[in-house]
């Protein structure tokens, strides 16, 4: 790859510290600026266009000549189950897809002042956790936010380090970004202190993180690391039918005399179906078709099998990858174990520049069935509010029994608002955008309903018979609450009290909040699509509540009970997605809308944006 040197920008320092601010202030001087400064908050002069931010961040790229280290060259590792010919990346010039983002008008100075002060608050929150990570858990997978220690959970290669790279870049932490790049260059993907690694988690967090940071910065060592890691993960496809393993045994994968692997006879849909974006981006950048071929084979299986499942069109939670059987499992969900594979259908379509119709087909044959069988309107006392809400539950498909939704809503499933809205824009389907808005509204409502202002990990509500009309029915509500009552069997009031159930909620199956991003992710996407200002206020409320409930001495920890107000002491756990996803989406919604424009970038499921292919100006006839 020829690296295109980014232009050296003016000496712009984004959101810089106090002394820089004073310097800028003094330089520019004058009452005008002083007045702007006064009414727009401290960083007004620094909210520059994306291209200037890019030039500022990247004028250092490659100057330090970071060298990628590694104790083993995965390119030389065996691959027993040879592939005769590779499926090539789709040929042709990328199509111009319908616009995703709202055409934002210039903001007023008061809008700007509010947005910027919120943006700084998010950035400060990131800086606090990142500072502790640097000091107490550097190069470990996670910071323990209560005790200030390090922990290893995902291969022990520094999950938080790699996962945070692009957030550092976006937030303008230039020195920290290049310090992190240097540490990443030293990661040894040649071995792991763990026997097996999760192929899915390693792909979305590490490979996605490296590729995204490379796409943003053009820093070559990041691509070198992505190739090292990609070569290792590619060994997960060394199975008799080339379907990827759930977990890769690292040392076995190196052994020439070992026979390769057999694919899993039970792997969840998310683990097999959501490697596509990362491997495709790696293939696009390296022009090595084998990386695309690997995931294209999985997609071909999903395409073949889509109408063979218990609910033709939908994909079950569990798949027999060894026998390529999707007809067995009866459980269907858009939550844990399935979510991101659906998410990747429209995103893959965008990443491939609209040149691969299979992803449109996979989406269009599944989305109406999700709508029909899994989406439901919750019964809540305020029918005015209720008519704008949707949730997504699970279904089990038993023979000869009507398919009925289990109204079990997970925080993980909150990605679905952004998912439907994004796909609705890409495929020009306003019904789906509308579903996305209501699903997002559902998650916002769940946040607002809890005493801490934070949605729990899993809850149940009562299901409306009709989405159009749904009067409150106390008898029905009490029946539904008692279905989940074990301790106070038969006593409605006692059950409500014991579980601290907000009205409308029939059970809080898991009261924790694990610092997850999916709700703010959807709010962010809805905002970028519609430009509606109320999303900014919802996002801010969510941020303030999460901050209040999760702040610890060293960072932020998982909340144990979102109904306990004041909130209790958080758990000593901060997964890498807090810095990689949650705070990134909070930051982006309060950034100018050209900061990671959805018409130029597409996010993987770990909030790592990949560059979308575009016609050059000349090709587009411009
Ligand atoms: C699968 O089923 C759906 C719904 O019945 C139908 O519209 C579609 O054409 C089918 N696809 C294939 C490839 O058979
Ligand atoms: C309210 O719910 C109860 C229990 O499910 C049901 O029997 C009754 O018909 C419902 N009332 C109305 C007005 O729908």
């Amino acid at each position: 790859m020829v690296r295109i040197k980014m232009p050296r920008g003016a000496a712009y320092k984004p959101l810089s510290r106090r002394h820089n601010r004073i310097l800028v202030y003094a330089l520019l001087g004058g009452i005008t600026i002083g007045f702007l400064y006064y009414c727009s908050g401290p960083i007004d002069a620094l909210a520059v266009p994306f291209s200037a931010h890019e030039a500022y961040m990247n004028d250092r790229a490659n100057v330090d000549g970071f060298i990628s280290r590694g104790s083993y060259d995965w390119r030389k590792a065996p691959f027993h189950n040879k592939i005769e010919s590779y499926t090539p990346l789709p040929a042709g010039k990328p199509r111009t897809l319908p616009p995703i983002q709202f055409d934002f008008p210039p903001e007023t100075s008061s809008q700007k002042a509010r947005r910027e002060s919120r943006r700084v608050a998010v950035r400060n929150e990131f800086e606090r956790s990142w500072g502790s990570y640097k000091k107490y858990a550097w190069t470990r997978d996670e910071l323990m936010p209560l005790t200030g220690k390090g922990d290893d959970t995902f291969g022990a290669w520094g999950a938080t380090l790699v996962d945070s790279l692009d957030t550092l870049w976006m937030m303008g932490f230039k020195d920290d970004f290049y310090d992190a790049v240097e540490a990443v260059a030293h990661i040894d993907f040649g071995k792991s202190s763990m026997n097996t690694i999760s192929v899915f988690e390693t792909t979305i967090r590490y490979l996605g993180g490296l590729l995204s940071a490379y796409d943003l910065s053009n820093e070559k060592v990041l691509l070198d690391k992505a190739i090292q890691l990609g070569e290792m993960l590619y060994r997960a496809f060394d199975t008799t039918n080339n379907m990827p393993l759930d977990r890769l045994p690292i040392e076995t994968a190196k052994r020439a005399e070992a026979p390769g692997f057999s694919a899993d006879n039970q792997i969840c849909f998310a683990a097999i179906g959501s490697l596509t974006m990362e491997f495709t981006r790696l293939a696009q950048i390296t022009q090595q078709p084998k990386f695309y071929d690997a995931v294209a084979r999985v997609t071909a299986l999903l395409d073949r099998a889509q109408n063979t499942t218990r609910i033709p069109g939908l994909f079950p939670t569990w798949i027999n990858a060894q026998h390529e059987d999707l007809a067995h499992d009866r459980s269907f969900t858009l939550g844990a174990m399935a979510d991101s594979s659906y998410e990747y259908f429209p995103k893959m379509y965008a990443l491939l520049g609209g040149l691969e119709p299979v992803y449109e087909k996979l989406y269009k044959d599944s989305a109406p069935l999700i709508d029909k069988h899994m989406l439901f309107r919750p019964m809540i006392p305020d029918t005015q509010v209720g008519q704008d809400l949707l949730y997504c539950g699970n279904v089990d498909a038993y023979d000869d029994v009507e398919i009925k939704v289990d109204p079990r809503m997970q925080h993980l499933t909150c990605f679905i608002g952004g998912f439907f809205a994004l796909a609705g824009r890409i495929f020009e389907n306003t019904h789906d955008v509308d579903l996305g808005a209501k699903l997002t509204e559902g998650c916002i409502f769940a946040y607002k309903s809890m005493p801490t202002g934070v949605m729990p990990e899993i809850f149940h509500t009562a299901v409306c018979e009709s989405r159009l009309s749904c009067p409150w029915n106390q008898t029905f509500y009490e029946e539904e609450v008692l279905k989940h009552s074990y301790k106070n069997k038969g006593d409605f009031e006692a059950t409500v009290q014991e579980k601290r159930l907000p009205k409308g909620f029939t059970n809080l199956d898991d009261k924790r909040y694990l610092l997850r991003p999916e709700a703010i992710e959807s709010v962010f996407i809805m905002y970028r699509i519609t430009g509606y200002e109320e999303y900014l206020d919802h996002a801010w409320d969510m941020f303030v509540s999460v901050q209040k409930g999760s702040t610890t001495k060293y960072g932020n920890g998982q909340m144990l009970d979102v109904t306990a107000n004041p909130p209790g002491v958080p758990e000593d756990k901060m997964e890498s997605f807090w810095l990689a996803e949650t705070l990134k989406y909070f930051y982006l919604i309060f950034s100018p809308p050209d900061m990671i424009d959805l018409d130029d970038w597409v996010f993987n499921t770990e909030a790592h944006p990949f560059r979308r292919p575009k016609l050059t100006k000349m090709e587009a006839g411009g």
Side-chain angles (χ1 to χ4, degrees):
M1 276 297 287
V2 181
R3 202 184 63 82
I4 298 152
K5 190 95 184 97
M6 300 309 275
R8 278 173 192 272
Y12 139 68
K13 302 207 177 223
L15 308 168
S16 66
R17 312 240 157 69
R18 191 164 298 268
H19 58 277
N20 293 321
R21 211 170 76 209
I22 290 162
L23 193 68
V24 168
Y25 178 67
L27 275 175
L28 300 177
I31 290 157
T32 324
I33 298 295
F35 177 72
L36 268 177
Y37 176 93
Y38 168 76
C39 65
S40 313
I43 52 152
D44 176 72
L46 303 161
V48 299
F50 182 69
S51 55
H53 180 85
E54 201 174 25
Y56 164 74
M57 284 305 292
N58 294 353
D59 72 340
R60 253 189 71 175
N62 296 322
V63 293
D64 293 331
F66 301 122
I67 307 288
S68 164
R69 309 278 172 87
S71 61
Y72 178 76
D73 186 352
W74 281 103
R75 287 173 302 184
K76 302 208 174 82
F79 196 91
H80 303 84
N81 297 281
K82 290 263 178 301
I83 290 168
E84 294 304 329
S85 75
Y86 294 136
T87 319
L89 280 159
K93 304 244 175 287
R95 292 174 46 201
T96 303
L97 301 183
I100 292 173
Q101 288 213 157
F102 176 69
D103 191 8
F104 286 85
E107 57 191 347
T108 65
S109 57
S110 72
Q111 282 172 329
K112 187 170 181 172
R114 186 167 346 110
R115 182 181 60 67
E116 287 289 303
S117 71
R118 289 168 170 181
R119 176 154 81 137
V120 173
V122 175
R123 190 177 187 267
N124 289 343
E125 195 63 17
F126 177 94
E127 197 172 21
R128 224 169 51 80
S129 288
W130 180 255
S132 301
Y133 176 73
K134 267 197 305 196
K135 204 159 166 193
Y136 304 108
W138 190 237
T139 72
R140 305 290 301 275
D141 281 347
E142 286 172 19
L143 166 77
M144 297 172 76
L146 273 187
T147 48
K149 289 191 260 184
D151 193 15
D152 290 318
T153 45
F154 292 110
W157 294 306
T160 295
L161 175 69
V162 178
D163 229 2
S164 303
L165 284 170
D166 54 5
T167 317
L168 287 167
W169 190 96
M170 289 174 209
M171 291 186 174
F173 288 114
K174 189 168 178 177
D175 292 343
D176 284 286
F177 176 74
Y178 287 99
D179 287 349
V181 169
E182 184 172 10
V184 166
H186 290 105
I187 295 175
D188 185 3
F189 287 122
K191 57 184 195 310
S192 169
S193 57
M194 302 184 175
N195 289 333
T196 66
I197 53 143
S198 160
V199 174
F200 166 75
E201 297 286 358
T202 308
T203 299
I204 64 165
R205 298 188 201 221
Y206 287 97
L207 185 56
L210 291 167
L211 288 169
S212 170
Y214 174 73
D215 259 349
L216 290 164
S217 71
N218 289 294
E219 175 58 56
K220 186 175 169 297
V221 76
L222 297 173
L223 178 57
D224 295 342
K225 296 314 279 193
I227 294 170
Q228 269 181 12
L229 182 60
E231 288 283 356
M232 179 220 286
L233 289 166
Y234 187 67
R235 268 63 202 175
F237 295 85
D238 189 8
T239 62
T240 47
N241 61 354
N242 299 120
M243 287 300 120
L245 294 175
D246 184 35
R247 298 193 70 87
L248 179 67
I250 302 270
E251 292 307 317
T252 315
K254 293 180 186 169
R255 293 213 324 255
E257 72 284 5
F261 306 104
S262 287
D264 300 285
N265 55 27
Q266 181 155 306
I267 183 169
C268 71
F269 179 42
I272 198 172
S274 26
L275 311 171
T276 44
M277 286 185 73
E278 295 78 5
F279 277 78
T280 297
R281 191 66 195 128
L282 184 59
Q284 287 174 330
I285 295 173
T286 61
Q287 288 296 310
Q288 287 195 57
K290 72 174 191 183
F291 294 120
Y292 178 71
D293 168 83
V295 289
R297 284 166 194 278
V298 177
T299 300
L301 167 62
L302 299 182
D303 180 29
R304 286 197 301 276
Q306 188 168 18
N307 271 4
T308 68
T309 67
R310 296 274 171 169
I311 304 178
L314 296 180
F315 296 95
T317 314
W318 296 102
I319 286 172
N320 184 331
Q322 203 181 99
H323 297 127
E324 306 193 357
D325 175 9
L326 282 72
H328 227 75
D329 183 29
R330 296 169 189 274
S331 67
F332 294 81
T333 182
L334 263 284
M337 322 241 239
D339 44 12
S340 44
S341 289
Y342 288 104
E343 177 189 342
Y344 276 15
F345 295 156
K347 289 183 167 183
M348 274 298 285
Y349 186 80
L351 184 60
L352 289 168
L355 295 172
E356 178 45 84
V358 71
Y359 292 102
E360 181 172 12
K361 178 258 184 190
L362 287 167
Y363 175 76
K364 288 189 172 168
D365 284 357
S366 57
L369 293 151
I370 298 170
D371 186 6
K372 179 175 170 195
H373 294 301
M374 301 166 95
L375 304 192
F376 66 94
R377 174 176 165 181
M379 186 182 75
I380 61 164
D382 187 336
T383 54
Q384 200 72 23
V385 170
Q387 67 185 357
D388 289 330
L389 307 184
L390 285 177
Y391 291 129
C392 179
N394 298 344
V395 295
D396 288 317
Y398 288 101
D399 304 326
D400 308 324
V401 181
E402 194 200 347
I403 297 171
K404 207 162 169 256
V405 69
D406 169 16
R408 184 177 193 271
M409 180 69 193
Q410 307 175 29
H411 195 290
L412 278 165
T413 311
C414 282
F415 85 97
I416 195 176
F419 160 75
F420 266 112
L422 195 73
R425 294 291 275 197
I426 292 172
F427 301 124
E428 299 187 285
N429 179 332
T430 51
H431 174 75
D432 288 0
V433 176
D434 190 46
L435 290 180
K438 290 184 174 171
L439 287 157
T440 304
E441 216 54 52
C443 292
I444 293 168
F445 177 79
Y447 268 73
K448 291 198 190 302
S449 300
M450 297 299 143
T452 48
V454 181
M455 174 177 157
E457 176 76 355
I458 305 172
F459 63 79
H460 275 80
T461 70
V463 180
C464 293
E465 260 177 49
S466 154
R467 287 190 204 170
L468 295 176
S469 150
C470 185
W472 178 256
N473 180 335
Q474 182 69 22
T475 317
F476 179 51
Y477 177 60
E478 292 188 11
E479 283 174 4
E480 290 294 300
V481 167
L482 292 175
K483 270 191 195 164
H484 300 278
S485 170
Y486 306 104
K487 224 179 185 171
N488 297 291
K489 242 185 162 28
D491 188 336
F492 170 74
E493 291 298 341
T495 304
V496 166
Q497 216 162 42
E498 172 224 328
K499 298 187 179 179
R500 291 199 279 254
L501 287 180
K503 206 155 190 177
F505 293 80
T506 55
N507 196 34
L508 305 177
D509 308 60
D510 185 342
K511 292 182 165 187
R512 294 174 305 159
Y513 168 67
L514 308 182
L515 302 175
R516 289 198 192 282
E518 295 78 17
I520 183 59
E521 172 183 345
S522 285
V523 173
F524 161 72
I525 292 171
M526 284 312 305
Y527 175 64
R528 287 289 183 88
I529 285 177
T530 62
Y532 293 163
E533 273 194 74
E534 54 262 36
Y535 287 121
L536 295 175
D537 293 333
H538 293 314
W540 180 245
D541 290 346
M542 287 162 71
F543 175 74
V544 169
S545 302
V546 165
Q547 191 182 33
K548 187 162 174 230
S550 69
T551 296
T552 62
K553 183 168 174 201
Y554 298 101
N556 299 75
Q558 302 180 345
M559 295 168 66
L560 281 167
D561 183 355
V562 297
T563 68
N565 202 9
V569 177
E571 280 188 291
D572 199 9
K573 179 138 184 92
M574 187 182 96
E575 281 216 42
S576 64
F577 53 67
W578 168 245
L579 298 182
E581 300 191 67
T582 314
L583 287 178
K584 182 188 286 149
Y585 283 126
F586 276 122
Y587 184 78
L588 286 177
I589 197 172
F590 299 127
S591 294
D594 70 340
M595 175 60 92
I596 315 298
D597 188 322
L598 295 178
D599 291 301
D600 298 330
W601 301 88
V602 57
F603 286 88
N604 89 336
T605 193
E606 187 78 1
H608 297 306
F610 298 159
R611 208 179 274 279
R612 288 174 53 181
K614 283 285 164 66
L615 291 178
T616 61
K617 272 213 177 85
M618 231 158 67
E619 286 166 337

